[in-house]
Short mmCIF file of all heavy atoms in Angstrom, two decimals:
data_model
loop_
_atom_site.label_atom_id
_atom_site.label_comp_id
_atom_site.label_asym_id
_atom_site.label_seq_id
_atom_site.Cartn_x
_atom_site.Cartn_y
_atom_site.Cartn_z
N VAL A 1 13.71 17.27 -19.23
CA VAL A 1 12.74 16.71 -18.43
C VAL A 1 11.93 17.77 -17.62
O VAL A 1 12.56 18.62 -16.99
CB VAL A 1 13.36 15.67 -17.38
CG1 VAL A 1 12.30 15.11 -16.46
CG2 VAL A 1 14.04 14.57 -18.20
N LEU A 2 10.63 17.69 -17.73
CA LEU A 2 9.75 18.70 -17.08
C LEU A 2 9.23 18.20 -15.70
O LEU A 2 9.06 19.02 -14.80
CB LEU A 2 8.61 19.07 -18.00
CG LEU A 2 8.92 19.55 -19.36
CD1 LEU A 2 7.65 19.68 -20.22
CD2 LEU A 2 9.64 20.88 -19.25
N ARG A 3 8.95 16.96 -15.62
CA ARG A 3 8.37 16.40 -14.42
C ARG A 3 9.06 15.05 -14.10
O ARG A 3 9.42 14.26 -15.00
CB ARG A 3 6.86 16.04 -14.55
CG ARG A 3 6.04 17.27 -14.88
CD ARG A 3 5.69 18.09 -13.65
NE ARG A 3 4.74 19.17 -14.10
CZ ARG A 3 3.44 19.05 -14.11
NH1 ARG A 3 2.87 17.95 -13.60
NH2 ARG A 3 2.69 20.07 -14.54
N ARG A 4 9.27 14.78 -12.83
CA ARG A 4 9.79 13.50 -12.41
C ARG A 4 9.22 13.20 -10.98
O ARG A 4 9.14 14.07 -10.16
CB ARG A 4 11.29 13.52 -12.38
CG ARG A 4 11.90 12.22 -11.94
CD ARG A 4 13.41 12.29 -11.80
NE ARG A 4 14.11 12.49 -13.13
CZ ARG A 4 14.84 13.56 -13.48
NH1 ARG A 4 14.99 14.51 -12.61
NH2 ARG A 4 15.36 13.56 -14.66
N GLY A 5 8.86 11.98 -10.79
CA GLY A 5 8.30 11.64 -9.46
C GLY A 5 8.32 10.15 -9.26
O GLY A 5 8.71 9.33 -10.17
N SER A 6 7.91 9.72 -8.08
CA SER A 6 7.83 8.31 -7.75
C SER A 6 6.39 7.98 -7.42
O SER A 6 5.66 8.79 -6.92
CB SER A 6 8.72 7.96 -6.50
OG SER A 6 10.10 8.11 -6.80
N VAL A 7 6.05 6.68 -7.66
CA VAL A 7 4.69 6.29 -7.43
C VAL A 7 4.77 4.84 -6.94
O VAL A 7 5.63 4.05 -7.44
CB VAL A 7 3.78 6.42 -8.65
CG1 VAL A 7 4.30 5.58 -9.83
CG2 VAL A 7 2.36 6.08 -8.38
N GLU A 8 3.91 4.44 -6.06
CA GLU A 8 3.81 3.04 -5.53
C GLU A 8 2.60 2.37 -6.14
O GLU A 8 1.54 3.00 -6.43
CB GLU A 8 3.73 3.04 -4.04
CG GLU A 8 4.99 3.16 -3.29
CD GLU A 8 4.94 2.82 -1.84
OE1 GLU A 8 3.82 2.49 -1.38
OE2 GLU A 8 6.01 2.81 -1.18
N THR A 9 2.68 1.09 -6.31
CA THR A 9 1.54 0.23 -6.69
C THR A 9 1.73 -1.12 -6.00
O THR A 9 2.80 -1.47 -5.52
CB THR A 9 1.44 0.15 -8.25
OG1 THR A 9 0.26 -0.60 -8.56
CG2 THR A 9 2.66 -0.66 -8.81
N ASP A 10 0.65 -1.88 -6.01
CA ASP A 10 0.73 -3.20 -5.41
C ASP A 10 -0.31 -4.14 -6.05
O ASP A 10 -1.05 -3.77 -6.97
CB ASP A 10 0.47 -3.05 -3.85
CG ASP A 10 -0.82 -2.29 -3.52
OD1 ASP A 10 -1.77 -2.39 -4.32
OD2 ASP A 10 -0.90 -1.70 -2.45
N LEU A 11 -0.48 -5.29 -5.43
CA LEU A 11 -1.34 -6.31 -5.92
C LEU A 11 -2.73 -5.86 -5.97
O LEU A 11 -3.57 -6.26 -6.84
CB LEU A 11 -1.10 -7.58 -5.17
CG LEU A 11 -1.91 -8.81 -5.63
CD1 LEU A 11 -1.49 -9.16 -7.08
CD2 LEU A 11 -1.66 -10.00 -4.73
N ALA A 12 -3.18 -5.06 -4.98
CA ALA A 12 -4.55 -4.55 -4.95
C ALA A 12 -4.93 -3.76 -6.17
O ALA A 12 -6.14 -3.73 -6.54
CB ALA A 12 -4.73 -3.63 -3.68
N ARG A 13 -3.94 -3.22 -6.90
CA ARG A 13 -4.19 -2.51 -8.18
C ARG A 13 -3.65 -3.34 -9.34
O ARG A 13 -3.52 -2.80 -10.46
CB ARG A 13 -3.47 -1.17 -8.18
CG ARG A 13 -4.10 -0.19 -7.25
CD ARG A 13 -5.40 0.36 -7.81
NE ARG A 13 -5.23 1.00 -9.14
CZ ARG A 13 -6.27 1.48 -9.86
NH1 ARG A 13 -7.47 1.37 -9.38
NH2 ARG A 13 -6.04 1.97 -10.98
N ASP A 14 -3.39 -4.61 -9.14
CA ASP A 14 -2.80 -5.46 -10.21
C ASP A 14 -1.50 -4.84 -10.75
O ASP A 14 -1.14 -5.03 -11.90
CB ASP A 14 -3.79 -5.69 -11.34
CG ASP A 14 -3.49 -6.91 -12.13
OD1 ASP A 14 -2.69 -7.77 -11.62
OD2 ASP A 14 -3.96 -7.04 -13.28
N TYR A 15 -0.78 -4.09 -9.82
CA TYR A 15 0.45 -3.45 -10.14
C TYR A 15 0.38 -2.41 -11.34
O TYR A 15 1.35 -2.08 -11.97
CB TYR A 15 1.54 -4.47 -10.47
CG TYR A 15 1.81 -5.39 -9.37
CD1 TYR A 15 1.45 -6.80 -9.40
CD2 TYR A 15 2.40 -5.00 -8.17
CE1 TYR A 15 1.70 -7.65 -8.38
CE2 TYR A 15 2.66 -5.85 -7.11
CZ TYR A 15 2.29 -7.21 -7.28
OH TYR A 15 2.47 -8.02 -6.18
N THR A 16 -0.85 -1.91 -11.59
CA THR A 16 -1.00 -0.90 -12.56
C THR A 16 -0.75 0.44 -11.90
O THR A 16 -0.92 0.66 -10.70
CB THR A 16 -2.42 -0.92 -13.16
OG1 THR A 16 -3.40 -0.73 -12.16
CG2 THR A 16 -2.64 -2.18 -13.93
N VAL A 17 -0.44 1.44 -12.77
CA VAL A 17 -0.10 2.82 -12.29
C VAL A 17 -0.85 3.79 -13.21
O VAL A 17 -0.81 3.62 -14.42
CB VAL A 17 1.41 3.07 -12.32
CG1 VAL A 17 1.69 4.55 -12.09
CG2 VAL A 17 2.09 2.22 -11.29
N LYS A 18 -1.49 4.78 -12.61
CA LYS A 18 -2.07 5.84 -13.40
C LYS A 18 -1.66 7.20 -12.71
O LYS A 18 -1.87 7.40 -11.56
CB LYS A 18 -3.53 5.75 -13.51
CG LYS A 18 -4.08 4.70 -14.49
CD LYS A 18 -5.46 4.89 -14.98
CE LYS A 18 -6.44 4.64 -13.91
NZ LYS A 18 -7.81 4.60 -14.54
N ILE A 19 -1.17 8.17 -13.52
CA ILE A 19 -0.78 9.42 -13.10
C ILE A 19 -1.51 10.51 -13.88
O ILE A 19 -1.47 10.48 -15.11
CB ILE A 19 0.77 9.65 -13.22
CG1 ILE A 19 1.54 8.56 -12.41
CG2 ILE A 19 1.17 11.03 -12.74
CD1 ILE A 19 2.86 8.34 -12.96
N ASP A 20 -2.22 11.37 -13.18
CA ASP A 20 -2.97 12.49 -13.81
C ASP A 20 -2.08 13.70 -13.78
O ASP A 20 -1.91 14.36 -12.77
CB ASP A 20 -4.25 12.72 -13.08
CG ASP A 20 -5.17 13.58 -13.86
OD1 ASP A 20 -4.78 14.15 -14.94
OD2 ASP A 20 -6.34 13.76 -13.49
N VAL A 21 -1.36 13.96 -14.92
CA VAL A 21 -0.39 15.01 -14.95
C VAL A 21 -1.11 16.32 -15.26
O VAL A 21 -1.67 16.44 -16.40
CB VAL A 21 0.75 14.72 -15.96
CG1 VAL A 21 1.80 15.85 -15.90
CG2 VAL A 21 1.34 13.37 -15.71
N ARG A 22 -1.07 17.25 -14.41
CA ARG A 22 -1.79 18.57 -14.57
C ARG A 22 -0.85 19.71 -14.81
O ARG A 22 0.32 19.57 -14.70
CB ARG A 22 -2.56 18.85 -13.26
CG ARG A 22 -3.46 17.73 -12.73
CD ARG A 22 -4.80 17.61 -13.47
NE ARG A 22 -5.63 16.55 -12.89
CZ ARG A 22 -6.52 16.79 -11.95
NH1 ARG A 22 -6.70 17.95 -11.39
NH2 ARG A 22 -7.27 15.75 -11.51
N GLY A 23 -1.46 20.82 -15.20
CA GLY A 23 -0.71 22.07 -15.40
C GLY A 23 0.16 22.07 -16.65
O GLY A 23 1.23 22.70 -16.66
N LEU A 24 -0.29 21.38 -17.69
CA LEU A 24 0.41 21.30 -18.93
C LEU A 24 0.06 22.35 -19.94
O LEU A 24 -1.00 23.05 -19.68
CB LEU A 24 0.26 19.93 -19.60
CG LEU A 24 0.70 18.74 -18.67
CD1 LEU A 24 0.42 17.40 -19.36
CD2 LEU A 24 2.18 18.85 -18.32
N GLU A 25 0.73 22.47 -20.98
CA GLU A 25 0.37 23.49 -22.10
C GLU A 25 -0.59 22.82 -23.10
O GLU A 25 -0.45 21.58 -23.30
CB GLU A 25 1.65 23.98 -22.74
CG GLU A 25 2.61 24.70 -21.89
CD GLU A 25 2.05 26.00 -21.38
OE1 GLU A 25 1.35 26.70 -22.13
OE2 GLU A 25 2.23 26.33 -20.15
N PRO A 26 -1.47 23.57 -23.64
CA PRO A 26 -2.38 23.00 -24.59
C PRO A 26 -1.73 22.71 -26.00
O PRO A 26 -0.67 23.27 -26.29
CB PRO A 26 -3.45 24.11 -24.78
CG PRO A 26 -2.77 25.37 -24.41
CD PRO A 26 -1.75 24.96 -23.33
N ALA A 27 -2.28 21.74 -26.68
CA ALA A 27 -1.79 21.44 -28.09
C ALA A 27 -0.35 21.13 -28.12
O ALA A 27 0.41 21.62 -29.00
CB ALA A 27 -2.17 22.58 -29.04
N THR A 28 0.13 20.37 -27.16
CA THR A 28 1.59 20.13 -27.00
C THR A 28 1.87 18.64 -26.90
O THR A 28 1.23 17.97 -26.16
CB THR A 28 2.17 20.82 -25.69
OG1 THR A 28 1.86 22.25 -25.81
CG2 THR A 28 3.66 20.66 -25.57
N ASP A 29 2.86 18.19 -27.63
CA ASP A 29 3.43 16.82 -27.54
C ASP A 29 4.33 16.77 -26.33
O ASP A 29 5.24 17.63 -26.09
CB ASP A 29 4.16 16.43 -28.76
CG ASP A 29 3.28 16.15 -29.95
OD1 ASP A 29 2.04 16.10 -29.76
OD2 ASP A 29 3.82 15.93 -31.05
N TYR A 30 4.09 15.72 -25.53
CA TYR A 30 5.01 15.36 -24.38
C TYR A 30 5.43 13.94 -24.59
O TYR A 30 4.72 13.15 -25.13
CB TYR A 30 4.34 15.60 -23.05
CG TYR A 30 3.96 17.01 -22.72
CD1 TYR A 30 2.73 17.52 -23.00
CD2 TYR A 30 4.92 17.84 -22.12
CE1 TYR A 30 2.35 18.83 -22.71
CE2 TYR A 30 4.59 19.22 -21.86
CZ TYR A 30 3.29 19.61 -22.12
OH TYR A 30 2.99 20.96 -21.80
N PHE A 31 6.62 13.62 -23.96
CA PHE A 31 7.11 12.23 -23.99
C PHE A 31 7.29 11.76 -22.56
O PHE A 31 7.64 12.54 -21.68
CB PHE A 31 8.42 12.21 -24.79
CG PHE A 31 8.22 12.60 -26.27
CD1 PHE A 31 8.43 13.95 -26.65
CD2 PHE A 31 7.84 11.65 -27.19
CE1 PHE A 31 8.15 14.27 -27.94
CE2 PHE A 31 7.64 12.06 -28.55
CZ PHE A 31 7.83 13.39 -28.88
#
């Protein structure tokens, strides 16, 4: 595991979540 974190969402976002993960390596598969 390279990254782990917590995020909150609520009804104002229809309980959707988006995370912009930065600082990654190019041409790389992540799971």
Side-chain angles (χ1 to χ4, degrees):
V1 176
L2 302 173
R3 302 278 185 92
R4 179 183 293 119
S6 295
V7 61
E8 279 194 358
T9 186
D10 55 29
L11 186 59
R13 288 288 302 178
D14 201 19
Y15 300 112
T16 59
V17 169
K18 286 201 288 188
I19 301 155
D20 194 351
V21 186
R22 309 281 183 91
L24 302 177
E25 297 295 319
T28 301
D29 285 351
Y30 294 95
F31 299 90

